[in-house]
Amino acid sequence: EAGVAQSPRYKIIEKRQSVAFWCNPISGHATLYWYQQILGQGPKLLIQFQNNGVVDDSQLPKDRFSAERLKGVDSTLKIQPAKLEDSAVYLCASSLSGASRDKSSYEQYFGPGTRLTVT
Amino acid sequence: AQKITQTQPGMFVQEKEAVTLDCTYDTSDPSYGLFWYKQPSSGEMIFLIYQGSYDQQNATEGRYSLNFQKARKSANLVISASQLGDSAMYFCAMREFPADNYGQNFVFGPGTRLSVLP
């Protein structure tokens, strides 16, 4: 079974530029998550999708960050314009379903991440 | 509001010995799940073990076990027979299961860096 795919793996941009990240979850996984992990910290959930609907985006800085999952499969996360403090690893994860308490549904599988450096 | 505390920024353990990584949490929701993830230097997050708030027994997965003390709100990870490959960052995480049955705001702790010494 193929894992969660993310691209690009690395990105360097200047502040005020725009950037987009792509994620393809494991086939059949209904729930997709985007996390921001700043160096030395634990991941912070930015947004959670259930199929193509947003379940939780309470920690997404909506003035500059946007995300979509139009067909309920792959997803893009965009930052426009980028700030220095956006430098981080952006992790995508997927799970079978976010709705049930069953272990098989909430166990998240993570992609390799995209390391963003804003200069 | 959810909160995860991991008080040990770094831990050392001798190869083949057992080690306990601490995790305390704060939630007012009676239904929640606790997770441990491993993050090697490669950066990928690897799921290790899960404990549900209503589970009667402590979770075990191979060399990993979770010492769940609900009254103390602690969920410590025990790694038995440490191996050199266990050297990594370890994150404790929690999510609540609200009445609408959608997990909200999966929260990670700051992590503990474990170093296994030969």
Side-chain angles (χ1 to χ4, degrees), chain A residues 2-3 22 25 28 36 47 51 57 69 81 86 89 93:
Chain A
W22 175 80
Q36 179 193 59
I47 189 167
N51 297 309
D57 63 355
R69 193 185 184 200
D86 298 332
V89 175

Side-chain angles (χ1 to χ4, degrees), chain A residues 100-101 103 106 108, chain B residues 2-4 23 25-27 29-37 47 49-55 66 68 70 75 92-98 103-108:
Chain A
S100 169
R101 293 181 179 82
K103 174 184 172 182
Y106 54 67
Q108 297 184 36
Chain B
Q2 300 177 13
K3 183 178 178 182
I4 299 288
C23 172
Y25 58 92
D26 183 27
T27 179
D29 198 303
S31 182
Y32 53 89
L34 297 157
F35 306 76
W36 278 92
Y37 282 83
F47 169 79
I49 196 166
Y50 168 81
Q51 180 83 44
S53 60
Y54 293 119
D55 293 343
L66 202 151
F68 181 47
K70 195 170 183 177
C92 180
M94 178 177 69
R95 73 186 301 174
E96 296 172 341
F97 294 101
Q104 297 289 334
N105 203 9
F106 202 95
V107 177
F108 282 78

Side-chain angles (χ1 to χ4, degrees), chain A residues 51-62:
Chain A
N51 297 309
N52 61 350
V54 176
V55 173
D56 183 1
D57 63 355
S58 57
Q59 297 193 97
L60 186 74
K62 298 180 185 63

Side-chain angles (χ1 to χ4, degrees), chain A residues 1-2 15 21-23 26 30 38 44 52-53 61 63 68-69 72 75 78 82 84 86-87 95 102 110 113:
Chain A
E1 166 180 272
K15 59 184 180 184
F21 312 127
W22 175 80
C23 172
I26 292 173
I38 293 172
K44 181 181 82 170
N52 61 350
D63 58 334
E68 59 183 16
R69 193 185 184 200
S75 174
K78 296 178 182 178
L84 295 177
D86 298 332
S87 294
S95 64
D102 183 75
F110 283 78

